[in-house]
């Protein structure tokens, strides 16, 4: 089925993240992909100085209102880096007015890593993200974001008991389906945990080198595959394997350190 997906994220014009990742990946899955840019930056915020930032808050409200007037509807809404609390309200309004029945709101909280919020975010934004995440059918937090959503202590080293406690806390707080990314019980491996009616872990090899934007690649591939197959765990696995391949491909080029060369592997998606 040819599905129409709305993705709401920032545009980092250079840096292979957010909308410049989501649009080509979702399109490669043969989904009609509609974009709503929450802000426009010259580059992403990691490793670049004096980047430009243009707030799109006023414009995205006008776009949303125009869509409502035109009765443009969506099979799914997928959010990534939003940046401002006001953007959450826009997404919720779109969900109420333009999301088709029996469709999915999928949220990547995209606000923290390694136990710290990204620059520019504060506790008010976290509280707003809790509202959006509870409205979502599926959320894709990393460990840091999960702890912020649940007011749980972040730990760099943890075991399965700690992760299982996060699972139960999500359920107690009314969240629906959770794909927890970057779950690593040792130094050699990492993986994803799918929290639905039960808990399932997919483990794969861990690469020491990290790149900006891999979370966006993972979430976009997961969304594209899930809306194609409707299989949570297999989609989580597929996205993890694809992201790992992107890192391995990029490591062949030592000069490429600001994102991953995912474009070289899009043929793997289109040939399915």
């Amino acid at each position: 089925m040819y599905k129409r997906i709305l993705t709401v994220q920032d545009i980092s014009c250079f840096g292979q993240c957010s909308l410049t990742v989501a649009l080509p990946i979702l399109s490669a899955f043969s989904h009609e992909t509609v974009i709503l840019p929450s802000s426009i930056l010259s580059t992403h915020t990691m490793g670049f100085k004096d980047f430009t930032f243009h707030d799109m808050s006023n414009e995205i409200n006008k776009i949303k209102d125009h869509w409502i007037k035109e009765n443009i509807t969506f099979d799914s809404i997928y959010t990534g880096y939003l940046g401002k609390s006001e953007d959450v309200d826009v997404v919720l309004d779109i969900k109420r007015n333009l999301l088709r029945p029996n469709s999915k709101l999928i949220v990547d909280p995209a606000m923290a890593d390694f136990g710290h919020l990204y620059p520019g975010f504060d506790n008010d934004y976290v509280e707003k993200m809790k509202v959006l995440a509870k409205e979502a059918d599926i959320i894709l937090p990393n460990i840091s974001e999960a702890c912020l959503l649940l007011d749980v202590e972040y730990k760099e080293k943890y075991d399965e008991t700690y992760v299982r406690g996060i699972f139960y806390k999500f359920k107690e707080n009314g969240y629906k389906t959770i794909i927890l990314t970057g779950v690593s019980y040792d130094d050699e491996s990492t993986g994803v945990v799918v929290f639905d009616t039960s808990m399932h872990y997919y483990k794969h090899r861990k690469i020491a080198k990290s790149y900006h934007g891999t979370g966006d690649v993972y979430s976009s591939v997961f969304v594209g595959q899930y809306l194609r197959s409707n299989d949570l765990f297999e989609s989580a696995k597929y996205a993890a394997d694809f992201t790992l391949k992107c890192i391995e491909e990029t490591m062949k080029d030592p000069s490429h350190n600001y994102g991953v060369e995912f474009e070289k592997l899009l043929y793997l998606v289109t040939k399915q």
Side-chain angles (χ1 to χ4, degrees):
M1 180 181 176
Y2 184 56
K3 294 185 178 181
R4 180 185 295 157
I5 302 172
L6 168 64
T7 181
V8 188
Q9 307 187 42
D10 75 283
I11 297 177
S12 292
C13 298
F14 181 85
Q16 293 172 306
C17 66
S18 302
L19 280 180
T20 60
V21 164
L23 177 57
I25 287 177
L26 292 172
S27 298
F29 276 98
S30 300
H31 301 307
E32 178 185 359
T33 306
V34 181
I35 65 169
L36 187 60
S38 57
S39 56
I40 302 176
L41 295 84
S42 55
T43 67
H44 60 64
T45 60
M46 303 299 289
F48 295 101
K49 297 178 180 179
D50 303 321
F51 53 84
T52 67
F53 176 89
H54 179 68
D55 185 357
M56 290 285 289
S57 295
N58 290 335
E59 198 64 31
I60 65 173
N61 268 298
K62 294 176 187 176
I63 294 169
K64 177 257 297 179
D65 291 341
H66 184 221
W67 287 346
I68 292 173
K69 183 179 179 181
E70 295 290 335
N71 194 32
I72 297 171
T73 58
F74 303 99
D75 295 300
S76 178
I77 301 169
Y78 154 45
T79 70
Y81 184 103
L82 296 176
K84 301 173 298 303
S85 298
E86 296 85 351
D87 298 337
V88 172
D89 294 324
V90 175
V91 173
L92 292 173
D93 202 18
I94 292 172
K95 177 181 184 287
R96 285 189 293 267
N97 289 283
L98 299 177
L99 190 61
R100 294 168 183 166
N102 303 313
S103 298
K104 302 293 186 183
L105 170 60
I106 303 174
V107 172
D108 178 352
M111 61 181 175
D113 211 349
F114 304 110
H116 300 286
L117 284 167
Y118 294 150
F121 288 147
D122 56 21
N123 288 333
D124 289 340
Y125 185 81
V126 174
E127 293 303 311
K128 204 71 174 183
M129 185 53 65
K130 290 178 182 178
V131 175
L132 181 61
K134 284 187 179 180
E135 286 283 326
D137 299 284
I138 302 170
I139 60 173
L140 298 114
N142 58 33
I143 292 282
S144 299
E145 291 154 352
C147 291
L148 287 166
L149 291 172
L150 298 171
D151 298 313
V152 168
E153 180 188 1
Y154 170 78
K155 294 183 179 180
E156 289 187 13
K157 299 289 185 180
Y158 48 83
D159 56 16
E160 186 177 336
T161 301
Y162 176 75
V163 172
R164 192 171 294 278
I166 289 175
F167 168 52
Y168 291 134
K169 189 84 169 177
F170 269 125
K171 290 303 179 183
E172 288 170 4
N173 282 271
Y175 293 88
K176 299 183 181 78
T177 299
I178 302 96
I179 312 295
L180 187 63
T181 63
V183 179
S184 182
Y185 298 130
D186 56 60
D187 294 335
E188 288 74 40
S189 65
T190 187
V192 294
V193 179
V194 177
F195 297 154
D196 192 17
T197 53
S198 57
M199 180 174 137
H200 302 279
Y201 182 48
Y202 176 61
K203 182 172 73 171
H204 59 81
R205 183 168 67 92
K206 184 177 183 179
I207 297 177
K209 188 171 178 58
S210 62
Y211 292 91
H212 190 79
T214 51
D216 299 330
V217 170
Y218 179 88
S219 295
S220 299
V221 173
F222 169 82
V223 172
Q225 180 67 7
Y226 176 71
L227 294 178
R228 176 190 274 178
S229 68
N230 205 37
D231 188 316
L232 278 169
F233 189 64
E234 289 304 317
S235 299
K237 286 173 58 179
Y238 183 89
D241 290 340
F242 184 90
T243 306
L244 180 61
K245 288 186 178 80
C246 289
I247 295 171
E248 291 172 336
E249 182 66 32
T250 309
M251 289 176 68
K252 298 174 186 177
D253 180 3
S255 67
H256 197 104
N257 57 9
Y258 50 82
V260 289
E261 298 177 355
F262 71 94
E263 300 93 342
K264 294 180 178 179
L265 299 174
L266 286 179
Y267 74 92
L268 296 173
V269 171
T270 55
K271 78 175 186 179
Q272 282 192 88

